[in-house]
Amino acid sequence: MSTYADVILPLPLENQYTYRIPADLESLVVRGSRVIVHFGKKRFYTAIVVDVHDRQPQTDYEVKEIFSILDATPILRRPQLRFWEWIASYYICKLGDVYKAALPSGLKLESETTVTYNPDYEADAPLKPNEQAVLDAFGRNVVKQTVSDLEKKTGLRNIVPVIASLMGKGAVGVNEELKQGFVPKTQTYVRLHPDWATEDRMQEAFDVVKRAKKQEQLLVSFLDLTHALNPVLKQEVSKKELLEKSGQSAAILDGLLKRGILQSYEKEVSRLQTRMCRLEEPHALTDEQQAAYGKILDVFAEKEVCLLHGVTSSGKTEIYIHLIRQVLRSGRQVLYLLPEIAITTQITDRLVKIFGDQLLVYHSKFSDNERVEVWNKLLHGKGPMLVLGVRSSIFLPFSSLGLIIVDEEHETTYKQQDPAPRYHARNAAIILAQMHGGKVLLGSATPSIDSYFNAMTGKFGLVELPVRYGAASPPEMILANIRELKRRKQMKDTLFSPILIEKMRQALESGQQVILFQNRRGFAPMIECKDCGWIPRCQHCDVSMTYHKFHQKLVCHYCGFTVRVPSECPECHSVNIRPLGFGTEKVEEEIALLFPAARVARMDLDTARTRTAYERIIGDFEKQKTDILIGTQMISKGLDFSHVAVVGILNADGLMNYPDFRAHERAFQLMMQVSGRTGRRDKQGVVVLQTSQPDHPLIQMVTQRAYKEMVSWQLAERSMFRYPPYYRLIILVLRSKNPTVLDEQSRQYAERLRRRLGDRVLGPVTPPVSYIQLLHIRKIVMKIEIAASIPQVRDILESVQQEMKQSTEFRQLLVHYDVDPL
Ligand code: ADP
Ligand code: ZN
Ligand code: ZN
């Protein structure tokens, strides 16, 4: 029998802590169990046991006892812990960071976790007395409480299992806003009518309701619960929450709705739906697809990873479906990874028709309860499953993964930026599959250079699918030279070249659709005083503020800070303030003037902030309820439209010209992906690419769809400048409020690193955006040989960090690593 357990806490501290196992729990506590432990003053956490043993801990502190155990069987399955350990070690972070990212909040309750009461809950069987006590502790109008508050109120000593059991029944949830509640399929939401969405109009609104005190109070509550005047933040609130929090009645709300100040509308709140449809057979594969399918199986006989390079619309998804079916039939599980935004009803509908309730969807917009549900289904469910999920679904408790598909593998959103663990889901998936003895299929029309290089060098297999399904030919590419057109005064005061206008007109006249791509939201990236050159900048970040014309606001896209557009220049008092450059909002405005009859939709972070809004815009366009779709890169993600005749790329230069060694690769991928939205099925589409550098090699490669040329060109540069895939990048990010200390410490740090790693260490450098939210940033870049031993490099990095920690000034810095940064 073991006396001690090493556990990890959901904290970015040391990797492990040792606790004593009480005698009555000895036989229950095993690797992978969840236990409740106390840590720090009066705080408890859900911890995960990583080891049980008899070794007396070497510490001066008193060893505390495990307080209780949560599960009869471990909540983790092999090899999950080993996978976490790999992530912590490769991405140089703490196991606690990985633990935090891996488990849904509902599975890692701690004293500070907020528990929400579900007012719609009706018990179908009597609750246990302590469950009832917890629910009673909520009382009237109290919907949120922390676990430690509930503990105090109920006097229950061991409350976490009780809360966990109530969660299982749907009576409570955690850390969630009420709107993501439990049962209802649709809910009524309330937002400000756009006509009233400025501060002046708001003032008027308050004048209007001055005599109706209750309406006034409700309006105040509404403004408290939303950020209706800030275009970047939350704009809506559920009717239910609004009434509950304001304590006003529905009749009072109706008053405000009648005045037109507020609007209400129905909104879907989806959960895992039980799907009762008859299953369908997948489509039969075409000869080309069949051949590719066969080649993938051949690759899997020899290699762990296969890259499927198939042009948009070639039927990659069809091939996935056939592979998935085969793996499920052999009794193993499949994980199908997609970037966040690409998980739409389009793809889930397609999969559910074939796989029925074997399909589980794991999405970050899901409520925590739903995530716990998926987790438990995998832990306790029987039979093979297909999980369609975003990057964090690699952390689910799979028992036997036969295949991981990483679709759109080039997508940079597979890399987690913040907080730690800063992992790349594609690369981590390859390790995960290895641990399960499963295979990995990477799919893309424009593979990342990293993956393509691995295929070229034989590490991955490569299968190509160069033809579109159904004889669709690739779109015609037309270049419009903006500089020349402007010089000849053929593009005066407009964003559109004559050829693009002409093509759009033809498309609209024949009932076809148009997509316009501009990778900037807002009206203009900045405004400028024409007399003195003043440009408003964020008070907290080193960036200019984006102009949002509709709301008459300047918004910082880094921190959300918002101010009104000044009526005059604060420097020289000139009123001659003009926008510089253009974003999607301006495109929309111009289109309305050019094609007043066309139905236009815009898709960017401002209009498609929520999943429902996003799906509505896509759905309307799919059903041809809209004619022109204007958008940022959100529109480039694997969507399948049938009637798009024209794609306009309004400013290719803006995509290429930014200081990053991957800029050209990304610009190529984006332009190819956007172009792929046109001419599906049997119609040929047109892409008009507007640029002032028509002779730029990249533009030439895009028009010729010369993917391989682009790769060799970029590889030549990268090998010359010691970039990936030839070298591994590790960036040390240092941040501080105090730039002087930061500079001095960064310099010393780089010096010490150089003593150990020589000229592999570059910097410190100041990034182009040198501070965000008042934290100044410096970076030390390390270029490490691919063949170098990672554990050895990590040891060096850690020992240098220990040296730095001797200095008290160093404590003013926040420091983290970014391994394989994107
Ligand atoms: P990709 O994933 O490569 O972009 P998809 O698999 O989405 O391509 O295929 C594009 C379109 O062509 C989809 O609407 C799909 O249903 C259709 N399609 C592709 N292959 C077949 C097939 N073998 N039989 C019927 N329809 C197909
Ligand atoms: Zn000025
Ligand atoms: Zn800012």
Side-chain angles (χ1 to χ4, degrees):
M1 283 287 147
S2 318
T3 6
Y4 297 105
D6 294 342
V7 306
I8 41 178
L9 291 161
L11 297 169
L13 297 172
E14 293 302 315
N15 274 335
Q16 292 166 19
Y17 291 87
T18 305
Y19 284 80
R20 190 191 310 281
I21 306 176
D24 56 329
L25 297 184
E26 261 180 28
S27 57
L28 298 173
V29 174
V30 293
R31 183 169 154 99
S33 307
R34 283 185 310 159
V35 292
I36 302 291
V37 298
H38 286 269
F39 185 81
K41 276 206 190 89
K42 284 199 233 150
R43 293 220 173 184
F44 62 78
Y45 292 93
T46 303
I48 301 263
V49 176
V50 290
D51 194 14
V52 288
H53 57 82
D54 280 320
R55 300 182 301 275
Q56 169 80 33
Q58 301 299 309
T59 158
D60 306 335
Y61 298 104
E62 181 206 357
V63 178
K64 290 185 187 158
E65 257 194 4
I66 287 176
F67 182 67
S68 71
I69 182 163
L70 279 179
D71 317 285
T73 52
I75 185 130
L76 302 185
R77 281 179 182 275
R78 261 182 306 183
Q80 265 177 299
L81 266 173
R82 211 152 45 87
F83 181 53
W84 290 12
E85 282 156 1
W86 179 83
I87 291 197
S89 132
Y90 184 84
Y91 292 103
I92 320 183
C93 64
K94 303 289 181 232
L95 259 177
D97 290 321
V98 186
Y99 167 28
K100 265 174 88 161
L103 257 68
S105 320
L107 292 180
K108 46 171 202 253
L109 295 174
E110 50 188 82
S111 35
E112 298 310 305
T113 308
T114 316
V115 180
T116 50
Y117 172 62
N118 172 21
D120 294 331
Y121 171 70
E122 282 171 26
D124 38 16
L127 292 173
K128 296 196 191 109
N130 48 10
E131 290 175 345
Q132 192 59 53
V134 169
L135 287 194
D136 290 345
F138 277 96
R140 267 179 65 81
N141 295 330
V142 185
V143 287
K144 282 187 180 185
Q145 300 199 67
T146 63
V147 173
S148 60
D149 283 345
L150 286 170
E151 194 184 22
K152 272 184 223 130
K153 280 197 188 166
T154 57
L156 287 173
R157 221 176 79 80
N158 191 4
I159 197 170
V160 173
V162 185
I163 294 174
S165 146
L166 284 170
M167 274 180 52
K169 295 178 176 168
V172 299
V174 298
N175 275 346
E176 291 283 317
E177 291 176 46
L178 261 182
K179 62 166 185 179
Q180 282 175 326
F182 303 79
V183 212
K185 274 242 169 77
T186 70
Q187 268 191 349
T188 310
Y189 271 73
V190 180
R191 67 179 167 220
L192 201 59
H193 192 285
D195 288 354
W196 297 86
T198 66
E199 267 160 34
D200 292 345
R201 291 287 282 157
M202 209 59 239
Q203 207 49 54
E204 273 178 54
F206 275 107
D207 288 338
V208 171
V209 298
K210 206 161 55 200
R211 296 234 180 73
K213 278 294 163 216
K214 288 190 171 167
Q215 288 186 15
E216 185 179 75
Q217 278 163 15
L218 187 66
L219 193 55
V220 170
S221 302
F222 172 80
L223 291 178
D224 273 343
L225 292 168
T226 60
H227 301 82
L229 294 178
N230 180 334
V232 185
L233 300 173
K234 184 177 139 182
Q235 310 257 301
E236 59 182 7
V237 58
S238 75
K239 178 175 169 184
K240 190 168 177 183
E241 188 184 2
L242 177 59
L243 296 183
E244 256 160 20
K245 295 268 172 69
S246 67
Q248 303 293 346
S249 69
I252 304 296
L253 175 60
D254 281 343
L256 281 174
L257 295 173
K258 284 215 188 81
R259 291 186 199 271
I261 298 173
L262 297 182
Q263 290 180 319
S264 76
Y265 50 97
E266 291 295 308
K267 190 171 140 173
E268 257 185 55
V269 232
S270 73
R271 291 197 69 192
L272 297 177
Q273 300 121 1
T274 37
R275 304 163 178 109
M276 306 292 282
C277 53
R278 183 168 308 145
L279 299 190
E280 286 175 14
E281 283 293 300
H283 295 299
L285 295 178
T286 64
D287 291 346
E288 289 88 0
Q289 291 165 350
Q290 189 62 46
Y293 178 79
K295 280 188 205 150
I296 294 171
L297 294 182
D298 291 346
V299 167
F300 283 159
E302 287 175 17
K303 296 186 172 159
E304 307 303 316
V305 185
C306 179
L307 173 63
L308 173 60
H309 177 201
V311 295
T312 1
S313 218
S314 56
K316 293 186 290 298
T317 316
E318 297 295 332
I319 294 179
Y320 301 157
I321 290 172
H322 283 257
L323 281 168
I324 293 167
R325 197 166 59 146
Q326 197 194 19
V327 176
L328 292 180
R329 280 184 178 163
S330 75
R332 305 193 69 191
Q333 298 167 319
V334 179
L335 170 61
Y336 184 155
L337 286 171
L338 266 173
E340 172 93 40
I341 194 155
I343 301 189
T344 57
T345 37
Q346 247 183 18
I347 181 73
T348 40
D349 286 354
R350 216 163 140 187
L351 294 174
V352 86
K353 274 188 204 143
I354 295 159
F355 300 108
D357 54 14
Q358 286 188 310
L359 174 69
L360 298 178
V361 182
Y362 195 75
H363 198 284
S364 70
K365 292 260 165 67
F366 276 1
S367 72
D368 198 74
N369 277 47
E370 289 165 298
R371 263 178 274 163
V372 173
E373 228 169 284
V374 173
W375 189 288
N376 284 333
K377 274 203 183 148
L378 280 170
L379 205 55
H380 306 299
K382 302 247 163 4
M385 311 243 192
L386 163 64
V387 176
L388 175 69
V390 292
R391 83 176 165 234
S392 59
S393 53
I394 58 171
F395 292 118
L396 287 167
F398 297 102
S399 52
S400 166
L401 270 174
L403 174 67
I404 303 181
I405 295 165
V406 186
D407 195 19
E408 312 284 355
E409 68 83 32
H410 62 279
E411 269 295 322
T412 51
T413 49
Y414 279 127
K415 174 92 189 315
Q416 168 146 321
Q417 301 292 353
D418 226 13
R422 295 175 174 80
Y423 64 100
H424 196 301
R426 175 195 63 215
N427 301 350
I430 293 174
I431 302 297
L432 179 65
Q434 257 167 28
M435 291 181 173
H436 280 271
K439 304 290 177 184
V440 179
L441 180 63
L442 310 177
S444 174
T446 51
S448 65
I449 290 182
D450 294 304
S451 294
Y452 200 77
F453 181 76
N454 280 329
M456 285 164 63
T457 52
K459 193 170 161 204
F460 299 169
L462 176 65
V463 174
E464 313 214 274
L465 195 55
V467 288
R468 292 180 142 200
Y469 171 74
S473 50
E476 180 193 356
M477 293 274 195
I478 301 175
L479 280 185
N481 183 346
I482 319 183
R483 178 170 297 164
E484 184 62 17
L485 289 165
K486 287 205 166 128
R487 200 180 57 79
R488 288 197 260 135
K489 308 262 187 280
Q490 288 176 340
M491 246 182 105
K492 216 165 161 285
D493 297 326
T494 173
L495 306 173
F496 307 103
S497 52
I499 178 80
L500 178 54
I501 296 178
E502 180 53 27
K503 293 289 175 189
M504 285 197 280
R505 192 179 310 282
Q506 285 171 9
L508 295 173
E509 275 167 8
S510 60
Q512 305 271 57
Q513 293 171 298
V514 174
I515 286 180
L516 296 174
F517 173 66
Q518 168 62 5
N519 210 17
R520 269 182 182 282
R521 66 193 166 97
F523 190 85
M526 58 188 91
I527 56 169
E528 181 191 42
C529 168
K530 287 287 169 197
D531 291 326
C532 75
W534 172 78
I535 290 173
R537 302 180 68 81
C538 177
Q539 293 179 13
H540 314 285
C541 311
D542 183 18
V543 291
S544 54
M545 297 188 73
T546 303
Y547 174 40
H548 289 251
K549 187 173 178 184
F550 178 77
H551 294 282
Q552 276 300 308
K553 297 275 156 152
L554 297 171
V555 181
C556 169
H557 283 186
Y558 280 78
C559 73
F561 179 69
T562 303
V563 292
R564 292 180 62 87
V565 176
S567 47
E568 62 171 45
C569 170
E571 300 286 321
C572 72
H573 304 288
S574 156
V575 290
N576 195 7
I577 297 176
R578 296 280 173 267
L580 269 185
F582 67 99
T584 45
E585 201 186 336
K586 170 128 192 239
V587 178
E588 189 181 17
E589 188 179 282
E590 268 206 33
I591 281 290
L593 295 173
L594 271 174
F595 300 104
R599 295 159 303 171
V600 183
R602 170 159 65 95
M603 182 149 85
D604 53 32
L605 267 182
D606 300 316
T607 62
R609 188 153 289 275
T610 64
R611 172 129 222 100
T612 358
Y614 176 81
E615 296 234 325
R616 193 187 56 236
I617 297 171
I618 297 289
D620 286 353
F621 195 64
E622 227 180 339
K623 291 183 221 113
Q624 290 189 281
K625 287 190 192 165
T626 39
D627 306 307
I628 302 180
L629 180 61
I630 299 162
T632 57
Q633 55 177 318
M634 275 180 134
I635 57 172
S636 69
K637 306 285 186 284
L639 296 161
D640 187 16
F641 301 120
S642 318
H643 307 282
V644 178
V646 178
V647 166
I649 298 173
L650 297 184
N651 178 11
D653 310 328
L655 295 172
M656 311 192 301
N657 308 337
Y658 66 93
D660 183 295
F661 73 93
R662 286 196 174 87
H664 286 140
E665 174 186 0
R666 287 219 188 109
F668 183 89
Q669 285 163 342
L670 261 176
M671 289 193 259
M672 294 307 287
Q673 296 280 341
V674 181
S675 308
R677 303 304 122 213
T678 176
R680 303 202 131 198
R681 314 269 152 74
D682 45 358
K683 302 174 199 111
Q684 199 196 10
V686 175
V687 177
V688 178
L689 211 167
Q690 301 192 149
T691 172
S692 51
Q693 313 165 76
D695 300 324
H696 194 289
L698 187 75
I699 296 293
Q700 291 300 318
M701 288 170 191
V702 170
T703 50
Q704 289 156 27
R705 283 177 287 280
Y707 174 78
K708 283 175 195 161
E709 284 73 6
M710 184 280 293
V711 173
S712 344
W713 175 52
Q714 288 297 301
L715 281 178
E717 282 192 2
R718 293 197 192 174
S719 110
M720 194 145 69
F721 297 107
R722 293 198 292 164
Y723 276 120
Y726 300 98
Y727 284 77
R728 191 187 310 277
L729 289 189
I730 300 178
I731 294 185
L732 182 58
V733 183
L734 308 113
R735 292 175 299 165
S736 173
K737 288 224 149 82
N738 182 335
T740 323
V741 171
L742 180 63
D743 273 327
E744 179 51 27
Q745 292 292 312
S746 308
R747 204 188 48 72
Q748 284 185 23
Y749 206 147
E751 206 88 306
R752 283 179 194 274
L753 284 168
R754 249 188 289 276
R755 259 178 249 151
R756 307 284 290 273
L757 294 166
D759 66 357
R760 296 180 188 86
V761 181
L762 305 168
V765 292
T766 305
V769 176
S770 71
Y771 58 93
I772 296 173
Q773 294 192 299
L774 298 179
L775 275 177
H776 294 263
I777 309 164
R778 300 292 179 269
K779 291 181 175 178
I780 299 173
V781 180
M782 286 164 276
K783 295 182 173 175
I784 311 289
E785 295 84 341
I786 289 293
S789 143
I790 291 293
Q792 208 180 330
V793 172
R794 205 177 45 238
D795 285 348
I796 294 175
L797 294 180
E798 267 164 19
S799 85
V800 175
Q801 186 154 8
Q802 284 311 322
E803 290 170 26
M804 289 302 295
K805 279 184 179 160
Q806 305 301 318
S807 135
T808 46
E809 296 217 302
F810 187 69
R811 299 204 188 112
Q812 297 182 34
L813 268 61
L814 293 167
V815 178
H816 71 255
Y817 298 95
D818 193 355
V819 179
D820 301 337
L822 280 185

